[in-house]
Amino acid sequence: MAGPIVLNVAEKPSVARALADVFRSSPGAQQRNNHANGPTQIFECDNVRFPCLDQQGSGRLASNNARVEGHTMITTAVRGHLASQDFPSSYGWRRVNPVALFDAPINTTYKEDMQPLERMLRDLARRASALILWLDCDREGEAISDEVRTVCLRGNARLGSQNRIFRAKFSTVMPGEIQRALRTLGRVNENLVKAVEARSEHDLRVGAAFTRWLTCRFRNKFDGFADQVISYGPCQFPTLGFVVERWARIQTFVKEDFWFLEMTIRLNADGSVVNNIPAQGVNNVYNNQQQGRAISLTWKRVRLYDRTMTLAIYDACLEAGEAVVTDVSGRPKNKWRPIPLATVELQKRASKYLRIGSEVLMQKAESLYNNGYISYPRTETERFRPEFNHHDLIQSFHAVNGELGNYAQLLLSNNNFQNPRAGPNDDNAHPPITPAKAVNPEEIADPIERNIYSLVVKHYLACCSRDAVGRETELTLKIASEEFSAKGLMILERNWLEIYHPWEKWSTGQGVLPKARVGTRITPTSLMMRDGATAPPNLISEVELISAMDKNGIGTDATIAQHITTILDRGYCVKDASQRFNPNPLGIALVEGYNSMGHQLNKPDLRRSMEAECNAIADGRKTKEAVLGSVVLQMLQCFNEANAKAAKLDEAMERHFGRLGTGNSQYSVLQGNFSRCGNCNGMMTLKQVRSSAGNQNPRNNNQAPSKIVHCQTCSQAHMMPKFHSNITPYFDGNQQPTSCPICQFQVLTCENDGRNSQFCPNCYNNPPANHGGSPSLEFQCSSCTHRSCPLAKGVQGGDVEVYPCPFCTSSGNAGGRVLLKRSDNGYRLSCSNGGRDACQYTVWLPGEAREITLADSSVNVNRMSQAVCQTCTNQSQLVRKLRFVWKQGTVPPHYGHDETTCVLCDSQFRIDLDVRLPSINRVQSRRTGNSSMGRGRGRASSSNYSGGRWGGRGGRSYNNQGRGRGRNSYNNRWN
């Protein structure tokens, strides 16, 4: 009888292959055909025997009495995260103010390259009676386990209802570790999943909002940013802050001169002090030419910043002539062996010893892990479990030729082995990083992997060795009133230092010091007064940067390398050959700007607080919802404050970058005397960014080059809308140029895909808040609410959601927002996901209204209940009321001058004003045109038009032939 079918999912294909090899090599196991024609390999093996799944799930070792049975193991893998989170298309870059992202809905989707994997997992889950998740045993691995579980449950819900989903815990892909994991199956840690979700949502909201705000602001104000994304990340900016802070200390450093005394004595061959009285030189320096080893003594004062005082002390010492031994001490001194290796320490040591960057290190360490050379390389644990078998692992190196094999043999002889020290950290998931199998490093083809493997092996062997032993001696002399001292070190047993050669050394100081008794008088060989100057610190090294990030909770052991790589990729800094970081002007300007605002977003405090909250979620002390509510609100306050003080950021940028249009070499002139400036009334020039300029980080190399209009008189430039192939001045019906009534700039027309739209170049870049403008949003005439401008088609509050789109909600497309819009056809409610191929939800509002606004956007509302419909609003949606201001004589008298209501639940209002809510797949748009026979729901334009006031909502009739169910004007209908 065939055993239960178990689906095993690993995080990487290499791990899946290793699992399949272990299953296949189990006693009695029978391999079946492997499948390699899908998105990833699938391995099948019958009769893999381990304790029955019905008796597992606690994470504890199955008892010896547990029933063992054969299982059919189907093994496959994903490639990291399956799902991705992003905002709906209705929250795109040019659609909403970045501040809206702090509470916008978030969609979970599967990118195109992940969809075949998602389908494959669903299909495999239908065959399985149990699921074992072999994802990496860290927080991210737990989150990916949840993603895999979600997909598999869609294919087979019984896996969840019958509690047949298990979590395997393992640190290497060696057979013994995999077999142990099959006997200790547990469950997904829901707290860890929620902690990762909280961090991801926070970083997405905050990062996207600040990135959009920075990018749009710099693009419209400074040269060189036409096509560059200025990204912000809650971990990325504090990382940059450490780099810039060190650079700033160097730039502001003021050197100081100092003076100090230096004494030297010499030893004879027998270790005694050469004590002949020397002759005094012209430079007040004792100089003895006798042979012997020189011992330098350090002045106890170290240095003085007063030359006169130093000179006076020096003269007193010269006058004294002889020094007296005041103290001779000696003590045993040990150099402790290292603690077990965790990820952060591996990154620091690889950078220091091997000159390998953290990102490259983690990639190569992953490869070593996947190939079974080392244990899991992402761990915070710095202590071994008592049951860890060190002797067997060390003994496996006996067969390795060379220094590793020789030292391993020495380590297990003559009582040289000692249990490793315990470090302070333990993530309770993985052991420290150790070798997983013993090989000669020369057998590893990749030279970087070879060096990393050697470092891991040597570090592990050093951990299992004894401390280095030495004896430290200190000699103190007094001459006049000044004391000088020297330290010496004699190494007695090198122990772990033998294997850590050449990277780790123990400074021997000045060796064995002379044997002298207290009170002995010694004549110095030389006594000199020297000068020096303080020096600035070096640029921050990668070792120092990793240490600062780890100390301040910036990132995790698994993500520190990614954050460092990000600030390099974004062009915020560069790393030299000595692994030191030098900030670029953009990185400097960003940090200076945020510092000047007073809210130092480049400091680690905010991120440290966020990480502490995530730890509280992981420990089960707080909920995801409670944490997100507080930390997102805190960052929203930071965002609003940054927005209010943005001028300070501009000032910092201006110190490093030219204002838009000032770099003449970056532009080519397309047309002079193009349009009129509203400030000086002069003519502006249309320019285009040259192909090599302003394209430091292009998102789309195929798009048209960016354009600006530049006023030479005012020395100001204005960015033109992107993705528009043709921009021309706008002329009205009388072929006269039109000026913006707000700022007097000449209105322009942009053409894209056969569609024209008008915009004011000044308002486009500086959206007027009192006319519907919103920072970081493209502001065209269609968005403007100016009452006297015929081109203005905006609605006050038009970017505020009236209610969630019912079409999008029913189709599972979160993020559809019903907004109030206005066009030549009148006011309407339409979905923000609208478009030819997207959501077509539209509600045409009464033409009798002269003006329609949100209830709380144009009137003084004392209570939220007056602006929000209490009937329709619930936990899942908020529904706002609309305010209608009527044209005189067009509505029944009981409606008065204006009406505030909810169009969803006020059925009498919809009947009186002929407002119809659309049904799915039955949406009609109001067409424009001069059709004399427009069909549809019509209205008569006067009391004489009994056929309908207009020729149908599907097309207005401009003569008396409108067809359709219509209604007459007030004089006929309501009298």
Side-chain angles (χ1 to χ4, degrees):
M1 179 179 178
I5 298 177
V6 180
L7 174 59
N8 299 267
V9 182
E11 190 164 324
K12 305 172 189 68
S14 57
V15 177
R17 285 194 296 272
L19 291 173
D21 290 342
V22 174
F23 298 155
R24 184 179 62 248
S25 60
S26 299
Q30 300 174 1
Q31 181 179 356
R32 297 172 63 180
N33 293 332
N34 299 331
H35 311 282
N37 56 350
T40 188
Q41 278 190 299
I42 302 172
F43 307 91
E44 294 193 29
C45 188
D46 290 334
N47 198 33
V48 178
R49 299 182 63 79
F50 58 90
C52 175
L53 292 173
D54 293 336
Q55 302 177 33
Q56 296 212 58
S58 66
R60 295 188 294 271
L61 184 66
S63 66
N64 294 330
N65 298 327
R67 180 165 54 89
V68 176
E69 64 179 357
H71 301 77
T72 296
M73 305 292 268
I74 302 174
T75 308
T76 189
V78 292
R79 297 190 299 272
H81 280 282
L82 263 178
S84 57
Q85 286 72 40
D86 204 350
F87 301 105
S89 58
S90 57
Y91 286 81
W93 276 67
R94 296 185 292 165
R95 292 193 172 194
V96 297
N97 188 321
V99 73
L101 302 180
F102 282 94
D103 60 0
I106 295 177
N107 286 343
T108 297
T109 58
Y110 300 93
K111 294 183 178 179
E112 187 175 349
D113 60 335
M114 289 296 170
Q115 290 175 6
L117 275 174
E118 191 257 348
R119 290 192 295 269
M120 179 199 73
L121 287 176
R122 281 193 279 113
D123 293 340
L124 292 176
R126 293 188 184 100
R127 295 179 51 194
S129 61
L131 170 65
I132 300 180
L133 300 163
W134 295 85
L135 289 304
D136 292 347
C137 297
D138 54 13
R139 286 190 185 177
E140 289 299 322
E142 214 69 16
I144 301 172
S145 294
D146 178 63
E147 295 173 10
V148 173
R149 175 177 62 179
T150 300
V151 171
C152 291
L153 285 174
R154 290 175 184 164
N156 185 353
R158 292 190 304 276
L159 295 174
S161 61
Q162 298 176 4
N163 205 21
R164 303 282 286 176
I165 300 177
F166 302 90
R167 182 75 165 96
K169 297 288 186 179
F170 63 106
S171 58
T172 71
V173 291
M174 302 304 291
E177 181 75 359
I178 300 305
Q179 294 292 347
R180 183 200 61 78
L182 284 173
R183 303 154 107 92
T184 56
L185 296 175
R187 306 290 183 183
V188 174
N189 188 322
E190 305 297 343
N191 290 334
L192 295 184
V193 173
K194 295 300 182 184
V196 174
E197 289 177 349
R199 181 192 291 118
S200 299
E201 181 174 336
H202 169 273
D203 292 354
L204 174 61
R205 293 188 185 281
V206 175
F210 274 97
T211 295
R212 293 188 189 185
W213 180 68
L214 288 170
T215 301
C216 294
R217 187 169 191 86
F218 291 173
R219 174 180 174 266
N220 294 340
K221 290 182 177 294
F222 299 99
D223 273 339
F225 297 98
D227 297 292
Q228 184 172 359
V229 174
I230 312 300
S231 70
Y232 172 90
C235 287
Q236 168 188 322
F237 253 50
T239 304
L240 174 63
F242 292 128
V243 175
V244 176
E245 183 180 7
R246 177 66 64 84
W247 172 88
R249 286 175 55 193
I250 296 172
Q251 299 302 309
T252 58
F253 182 84
V254 178
K255 73 173 186 177
E256 293 184 83
D257 295 328
F258 60 82
W259 293 264
F260 63 98
L261 303 184
E262 185 179 79
M263 179 189 288
T264 303
I265 60 175
R266 285 188 177 273
L267 303 182
N268 292 314
D270 61 358
S272 62
V273 179
V274 176
N275 207 19
N276 294 335
I277 300 176
Q280 184 170 340
V282 295
N283 293 319
N284 292 332
V285 175
Y286 290 124
N287 184 13
N288 193 304
Q289 300 298 324
Q290 282 188 290
Q291 299 298 316
R293 183 165 66 90
I295 300 293
S296 296
L297 291 93
T298 303
W299 191 21
K300 280 289 182 76
R301 294 180 186 263
V302 183
R303 64 181 64 167
L304 291 178
Y305 294 92
D306 187 321
R307 185 179 184 279
T308 303
M309 181 177 291
T310 309
L311 185 60
I313 295 173
Y314 179 51
D315 287 341
C317 292
L318 290 178
E319 187 175 346
E322 288 185 331
V324 179
V325 178
T326 59
D327 184 57
V328 177
S329 61
R331 63 185 179 90
K333 188 175 181 65
N334 288 5
K335 186 173 178 63
W336 289 357
R337 63 198 187 280
I339 62 175
L341 192 61
T343 303
V344 171
E345 189 63 27
L346 175 61
Q347 292 174 339
K348 292 193 289 188
R349 290 182 182 249
S351 177
K352 179 180 178 180
Y353 299 148
L354 306 176
R355 292 291 187 263
I356 298 175
S358 54
E359 181 73 7
V360 174
L361 167 77
M362 295 312 298
Q363 293 173 357
K364 298 299 184 180
E366 283 281 348
S367 177
L368 288 170
Y369 162 68
N370 292 335
N371 291 314
Y373 289 111
I374 65 174
S375 62
Y376 188 62
R378 301 182 189 274
T379 177
E380 299 177 11
T381 301
E382 298 170 329
R383 59 181 65 186
F384 286 101
R385 298 284 185 272
E387 63 270 15
F388 192 95
N389 193 332
H390 295 286
H391 283 74
D392 286 354
L393 180 55
I394 296 172
Q395 193 166 22
S396 67
F397 280 91
H398 286 186
V400 176
N401 295 327
E403 64 171 339
L404 297 182
N406 295 337
Y407 189 83
Q409 293 179 22
L410 179 66
L411 193 57
L412 293 183
S413 62
N414 299 325
N415 200 31
N416 288 321
F417 171 82
Q418 190 169 10
N419 278 319
R421 296 163 52 203
N425 299 316
D426 189 347
D427 61 14
N428 295 310
H430 293 287
I433 303 170
T434 63
K437 63 180 177 182
V439 298
N440 190 325
E442 297 302 320
E443 298 177 12
I444 301 175
D446 188 294
I448 298 179
E449 292 183 12
R450 183 188 313 143
N451 290 334
I452 295 172
Y453 177 78
S454 295
L455 174 60
V456 170
V457 174
K458 289 186 175 185
H459 190 98
Y460 170 70
L461 294 176
C463 289
C464 298
S465 304
R466 294 188 174 277
D467 296 337
V469 179
R471 182 171 182 81
E472 183 181 69
T473 55
E474 183 173 5
L475 172 68
T476 302
L477 303 181
K478 187 173 184 179
I479 183 169
S481 61
E482 302 304 304
E483 288 189 339
F484 294 79
S485 64
K487 287 186 177 181
L489 175 69
M490 181 173 64
I491 298 178
L492 303 177
E493 299 176 21
R494 293 183 58 82
N495 295 331
W496 71 273
L497 293 175
E498 295 287 353
I499 192 60
Y500 232 110
H501 177 81
W503 302 316
E504 195 69 48
K505 299 177 181 179
W506 196 7
S507 175
T508 56
Q510 302 186 77
V512 180
L513 295 182
K515 300 175 181 178
R517 298 174 62 183
V518 174
T520 302
R521 305 184 71 83
I522 298 176
T523 302
T525 304
S526 67
L527 180 62
M528 303 180 67
M529 174 178 165
R530 299 186 182 278
D531 61 3
T534 56
N538 292 320
L539 293 168
I540 193 168
S541 68
E542 187 157 16
V543 174
E544 293 171 315
L545 182 57
I546 293 171
S547 298
M549 295 174 68
D550 182 49
K551 178 181 178 181
N552 289 278
I554 305 302
T556 65
D557 61 307
T559 61
I560 283 177
Q562 298 172 10
H563 301 316
I564 294 175
T565 300
T566 298
I567 64 173
L568 293 170
D569 292 344
R570 298 299 187 195
Y572 296 155
C573 63
V574 294
K575 184 169 69 172
D576 60 24
S578 61
Q579 306 289 300
R580 294 187 179 275
F581 294 83
N582 194 8
N584 285 335
L586 178 56
I588 297 170
L590 289 170
V591 172
E592 288 179 349
Y594 279 118
N595 279 342
S596 65
M597 292 178 183
H599 213 104
Q600 298 176 329
L601 294 172
N602 57 291
K603 297 297 183 181
D605 305 330
L606 290 172
R607 190 60 190 188
R608 186 191 303 120
S609 173
M610 173 62 194
E611 291 296 337
E613 294 291 87
C614 287
N615 290 337
I617 299 174
D619 295 340
R621 292 181 282 113
K622 290 188 178 181
T623 65
K624 167 189 168 183
E625 293 72 22
V627 167
L628 277 177
S630 61
V631 297
V632 172
L633 177 60
Q634 182 183 30
M635 291 308 299
L636 174 59
Q637 294 170 346
C638 293
F639 181 85
N640 290 332
E641 185 175 343
N643 211 349
K645 299 179 179 179
K648 294 184 177 181
L649 182 60
D650 294 344
E651 292 173 4
M653 287 292 294
E654 204 163 0
R655 290 195 290 268
H656 301 275
F657 298 93
R659 282 279 180 173
L660 186 68
T662 57
N664 292 328
S665 61
Q666 298 186 27
Y667 300 95
S668 58
V669 175
L670 296 181
Q671 182 179 337
N673 297 324
F674 179 70
S675 64
R676 194 165 298 280
C677 173
N679 294 327
C680 66
N681 205 34
M683 297 302 292
M684 298 190 294
T685 302
L686 179 65
K687 297 182 179 181
Q688 178 174 286
V689 177
R690 298 183 189 274
S691 58
S692 60
N695 198 27
Q696 303 172 40
N697 188 13
R699 283 171 284 174
N700 185 358
N701 292 328
N702 297 322
Q703 69 187 42
S706 299
K707 299 180 179 68
I708 65 170
V709 287
H710 181 250
C711 179
Q712 186 69 32
T713 305
C714 301
S715 298
Q716 287 187 349
H718 305 274
M719 183 66 70
M720 298 291 95
K722 300 183 70 174
F723 313 112
H724 291 83
S725 58
N726 191 28
I727 297 176
T728 58
Y730 173 76
F731 296 94
D732 61 18
N734 298 321
Q735 295 302 305
Q736 295 298 314
T738 300
S739 296
C740 173
I742 301 173
C743 60
Q744 310 310 313
F745 275 74
Q746 184 176 347
V747 176
L748 306 178
T749 293
C750 53
E751 178 186 348
N752 186 36
D753 215 10
R755 297 181 177 181
N756 294 335
S757 57
Q758 286 71 47
F759 69 99
C760 163
N762 182 58
C763 292
Y764 177 80
N765 290 277
N766 303 283
N770 56 340
H771 293 291
S774 180
S776 306
L777 281 183
E778 290 189 353
F779 186 79
Q780 299 186 8
C781 295
S782 59
S783 302
C784 184
T785 62
H786 196 281
R787 292 179 180 272
S788 65
C789 181
L791 297 175
K793 303 297 182 186
V795 179
Q796 194 72 26
D799 60 341
V800 178
E801 178 181 296
V802 181
Y803 52 85
C805 175
F807 283 13
C808 293
T809 302
S810 64
S811 63
N813 182 17
R817 304 182 302 143
V818 174
L819 307 177
L820 180 61
K821 299 294 182 182
R822 179 163 67 107
S823 65
D824 290 337
N825 292 342
Y827 288 92
R828 71 185 187 278
L829 293 172
S830 59
C831 180
S832 57
N833 282 334
R836 295 175 181 174
D837 301 321
C839 181
Q840 295 293 317
Y841 183 88
T842 303
V843 178
W844 289 101
L845 299 175
E848 290 85 351
R850 173 171 55 83
E851 182 183 22
I852 304 177
T853 60
L854 292 183
D856 57 339
S857 63
S858 60
V859 294
N860 183 18
V861 178
N862 296 321
R863 297 188 304 272
M864 189 65 177
S865 60
Q866 293 178 266
V868 173
C869 177
Q870 301 301 315
T871 302
C872 299
T873 298
N874 53 44
Q875 290 183 345
S876 62
Q877 68 174 11
L878 184 145
V879 178
R880 300 179 186 274
K881 296 179 182 180
L882 299 179
R883 179 174 180 258
F884 300 81
V885 179
W886 307 115
K887 299 174 185 176
Q888 187 174 3
T890 59
V891 294
H894 65 272
Y895 277 103
H897 172 265
D898 60 83
E899 178 76 13
T900 298
T901 189
C902 171
V903 297
L904 291 183
C905 63
D906 192 340
S907 58
Q908 188 60 49
F909 176 86
R910 295 201 306 271
I911 293 172
D912 289 346
L913 278 304
D914 204 13
V915 176
R916 295 193 175 186
L917 302 180
S919 301
I920 296 178
N921 299 326
R922 298 187 64 183
V923 183
Q924 292 182 334
S925 61
R926 181 188 291 180
R927 298 179 300 190
T928 62
N930 295 329
S931 170
S932 61
M933 296 297 290
R935 285 182 173 270
R937 198 159 45 90
R939 297 177 182 172
S941 61
S942 74
S943 61
N944 296 323
Y945 295 167
S946 59
R949 192 177 103 182
W950 293 106
R953 192 67 55 96
R956 295 185 178 185
S957 172
Y958 287 88
N959 58 25
N960 301 344
Q961 303 299 316
R963 293 174 54 192
R965 184 175 63 83
R967 69 170 179 262
N968 300 332
S969 68
Y970 166 67
N971 290 333
N972 272 355
R973 181 168 184 188
W974 305 117
N975 285 343

